[in-house]
Amino acid sequence: MLLVFLNFNAIAQEALDEEQREDLKKPAKLQDLAYGEILFDYYRGDEITALTNILIAQKKNYLPNHANSAELLSGVIYLNLGMLSKAQNIFNRLLTKDDLKNELLAKLEFYLAKLHYKQRDFADAKRRLSNVYQVLEVALKDESLIMLSNIALYQKDLNAARDWLSQISEDSELLAYSRYNLGILWLTGGDVA
């Protein structure tokens, strides 16, 4: 009987947590001073300080309005620092499959794909990138296309690699890289012109 009571309490607490969770699908207005400080450190390039401040703010409950956004940012920082399993745990915890057309959820899926790409888990990276690359902002979409083309090259599928590279936008910072790779692909295919 006690076991059933404990499970009921856990379910009630989970429902309460769901009501209080920050909606990652909506643009956020800065409401927590601690989160503002975290963003300041992150955008000035001091990721370690930003991550430290996130961990402190989480421990002291200084992020009542931006808990999910701060956790997402910590996952991005862990990914940038090469702490892939830590980043993956955070992204998996935050990502729901409800609506990958949502920009924020698409970014989560992108970062999970990037994580799998760095771990050389190309099958999962390709699956995740293929689901969301169309929805992403231009810079992330172009980075996705580069990763997809590299996966196709790894799988020795030159036609797919060409197709991915040819979709990179004309004003992208990655355009020169993609043109170089396309040139190499055409040369290896015997098309010197």
Side-chain angles (χ1 to χ4, degrees):
M1 183 69 169
L2 181 62
L3 182 60
V4 172
F5 181 71
L6 290 174
N7 285 341
F8 176 73
N9 281 339
I11 292 169
Q13 182 62 40
E14 188 175 307
L16 183 61
D17 290 344
E18 275 302 313
E19 288 178 14
Q20 294 174 344
R21 285 188 88 176
E22 175 187 7
D23 188 0
L24 286 173
K25 296 176 185 176
K26 295 181 182 174
K29 293 180 182 174
L30 190 62
Q31 296 175 320
D32 300 328
L33 183 60
Y35 189 60
E37 183 180 351
I38 290 164
L39 289 176
F40 176 77
D41 289 330
Y42 177 74
Y43 285 116
R44 73 182 177 115
D46 193 355
E47 290 185 338
I48 299 295
T49 302
L51 182 59
T52 303
N53 287 337
I54 290 170
L55 296 173
I56 291 169
Q58 287 172 334
K59 187 79 168 169
K60 295 187 176 197
N61 291 326
Y62 288 164
L63 301 168
N65 299 302
H66 298 290
N68 289 347
S69 295
E71 188 153 2
L72 172 60
L73 183 58
S74 71
V76 171
I77 294 171
Y78 282 125
L79 179 62
N80 292 342
L81 295 175
M83 301 173 78
L84 304 181
S85 62
K86 191 85 166 153
Q88 182 175 12
N89 289 338
I90 290 169
F91 293 149
N92 282 333
R93 190 170 47 248
L94 291 175
L95 182 65
T96 61
K97 300 274 180 182
D98 292 340
D99 184 14
L100 286 177
K101 290 182 174 34
N102 176 277
E103 186 179 346
L104 185 57
L105 291 178
K107 280 184 181 179
L108 279 171
E109 187 76 352
F110 167 80
Y111 286 120
L112 273 172
K114 189 172 182 177
L115 183 121
H116 288 289
Y117 180 82
K118 286 184 174 191
Q119 292 176 328
R120 300 185 56 81
D121 180 3
F122 295 136
D124 204 21
K126 180 180 179 180
R127 179 182 57 79
R128 289 179 183 276
L129 288 171
S130 297
N131 287 338
V132 295
Y133 80 95
Q134 295 284 11
V135 182
L136 295 169
E137 61 191 49
V138 175
L140 295 180
K141 178 181 179 180
D142 291 341
E143 189 176 346
S144 297
L145 292 169
I146 293 289
M147 285 189 280
L148 286 166
S149 70
N150 287 340
I151 292 168
L153 284 173
Y154 177 79
Q155 296 170 339
K156 301 196 183 342
D157 187 353
L158 300 181
N159 290 330
R162 277 188 208 121
D163 291 341
W164 292 122
L165 288 172
S166 65
Q167 294 181 49
I168 292 180
S169 63
E170 290 295 318
D171 56 342
S172 173
E173 293 177 6
L174 299 173
L175 184 63
Y177 178 73
S178 70
R179 292 230 169 121
Y180 175 80
N181 283 350
L182 278 170
I184 297 297
L185 286 173
W186 283 316
L187 281 174
T188 57
D191 186 356
V192 178

